[in-house]
Amino acid sequence: MELIDIGANLSHDSFDIDRDAVLQRAREAGVVQMMVTGASREHSPKALALAQAHPGFLFATAGVHPHHASEYTAECDAEMRTLHAHPEVAAVGECGLDYFRDLSPRPAQRRAFELQLRIAADLAVDGVGKPLFLHQRDAHVDFMGVMKEFDGKLGPAVVHCFTGSRTELFDYLDQDWHIGITGWLCDERRGAHLRELVPHIPADRLMIETDSPYLLPRTVKPQPSHRRNEPMYLAHIVEELARDRGEDVAATAASTTATARAFFRLD
Ligand SMILES: [Zn+2]
């Protein structure tokens, strides 16, 4: 089984003590490639450094999460553009809107989101923009509105860590966007509605991610005492996803891997 984790925050401080062991355990668990999420001014360069240190195994995204939108200055925009010149940076993001926690003012969130979509559009090759790694929580209407401003100028987009409603899911699929599914699905209570929705996602729009070190799947038994999630647990997500979709695990693994390779242009 070959799996691709499209969202792992491997530059997170909690991995500083044993990052190489974490990568080794991931390989042993069938994870063949990973996208290291860049989600701030501080961590996007670290994500690139990790990808450069592990060519062909790790790739990076570069972006500023809506929680950090207040730091999105002109200098920050220039830094992001410099990062995107590197071939190891496969997507723009994590970027988007988060009105659930509102850690940055909403106007700042919208502005940072727009400026990053502008980068993705500016980096278009043959009219196809750079892939987008998107975050949306409790901001669906504004999120759709900002994306609409760039209609026809953007490349493929994935709404990562999807936990939303049926309406949100079909709005995204109607736009031909991709969906990233995390261990949220493995929570028998919080993930119940999601389990009913995942059979509706076409295989060529569906990818998996741990969002490590967050969102430890509840199906990991026994639960590690430190509660840190890591990419080796990706198998728990694909197993639950396959069960909910009525597929063989091998089929779901193969299709999500093929979709990720095509989406991030990994070949
Ligand atoms: Zn996110």
Side-chain angles (χ1 to χ4, degrees):
M1 199 158 71
E2 294 195 342
L3 303 173
I4 296 181
D5 189 344
I6 68 153
N9 299 279
L10 292 173
S11 68
H12 193 274
D13 306 346
S14 67
F15 292 119
D16 286 350
I17 47 163
D18 64 345
R19 192 170 283 105
D20 286 339
V22 167
L23 296 181
Q24 185 56 31
R25 286 195 288 272
R27 284 184 196 273
E28 288 164 6
V31 179
V32 293
Q33 285 167 322
M34 293 190 256
M35 306 299 308
V36 183
T37 308
S40 67
R41 270 181 101 167
E42 181 192 352
H43 282 271
S44 290
K46 293 181 178 180
L48 170 60
L50 278 171
Q52 288 173 327
H54 301 273
F57 180 45
L58 302 184
F59 299 84
T61 74
V64 174
H65 190 284
H67 291 347
H68 298 279
S70 300
E71 73 187 34
Y72 208 93
T73 58
E75 297 75 44
C76 176
D77 192 69
E79 288 165 18
M80 290 299 138
R81 286 174 183 272
T82 302
L83 291 173
H84 283 291
H86 293 268
E88 296 88 351
V89 179
V92 174
E94 176 171 0
C95 61
L97 301 174
D98 192 313
Y99 294 175
F100 177 69
R101 295 185 63 193
D102 273 331
L103 293 188
S104 282
R106 293 179 181 184
Q109 290 191 37
R110 288 189 289 269
R111 182 175 168 279
F113 186 24
E114 288 166 348
L115 288 169
Q116 291 177 86
L117 294 181
R118 169 59 54 202
I119 294 176
D122 287 348
L123 295 175
V125 175
D126 296 333
V128 181
K130 193 158 188 173
L132 283 161
F133 188 83
L134 303 173
H135 174 106
Q136 187 282 116
R137 196 157 178 209
D138 282 8
H140 180 66
V141 172
D142 280 8
F143 179 84
M144 295 300 286
V146 173
M147 289 293 283
K148 184 129 190 84
E149 294 169 26
F150 291 83
D151 227 1
K153 301 190 182 80
L154 300 174
V158 58
V159 182
H160 109 102
C161 192
F162 178 80
T163 59
S165 68
R166 169 177 290 261
T167 303
E168 291 176 11
L169 177 65
F170 283 97
D171 280 352
Y172 301 155
L173 293 175
D174 284 348
Q175 300 296 317
D176 242 0
W177 298 337
H178 290 62
I179 305 294
I181 295 292
T182 60
W184 192 280
L185 190 67
C186 301
D187 188 312
E188 68 279 11
R189 289 163 298 159
R190 281 200 311 177
H193 82 285
L194 199 53
R195 292 180 181 187
E196 291 174 15
L197 293 179
V198 292
H200 298 289
I201 306 171
D204 63 356
R205 292 290 178 274
L206 176 62
M207 299 183 281
I208 53 175
E209 49 175 330
T210 57
D211 206 23
S212 304
Y214 315 111
L215 297 177
L216 178 70
R218 280 174 57 87
T219 48
V220 173
K221 302 262 168 62
Q223 295 266 294
S225 56
H226 49 67
R227 309 282 307 159
R228 186 186 70 177
N229 193 11
E230 58 175 86
M232 71 166 166
Y233 297 130
L234 191 59
H236 289 260
I237 298 168
V238 78
E239 281 164 16
E240 181 58 45
L241 185 58
R243 187 158 41 237
D244 301 334
R245 288 169 63 81
E247 297 173 348
D248 287 339
V249 177
T252 309
S255 70
T256 54
T257 294
T259 300
R261 288 211 167 108
F263 181 89
F264 292 105
R265 304 166 187 166
L266 297 185
D267 299 302

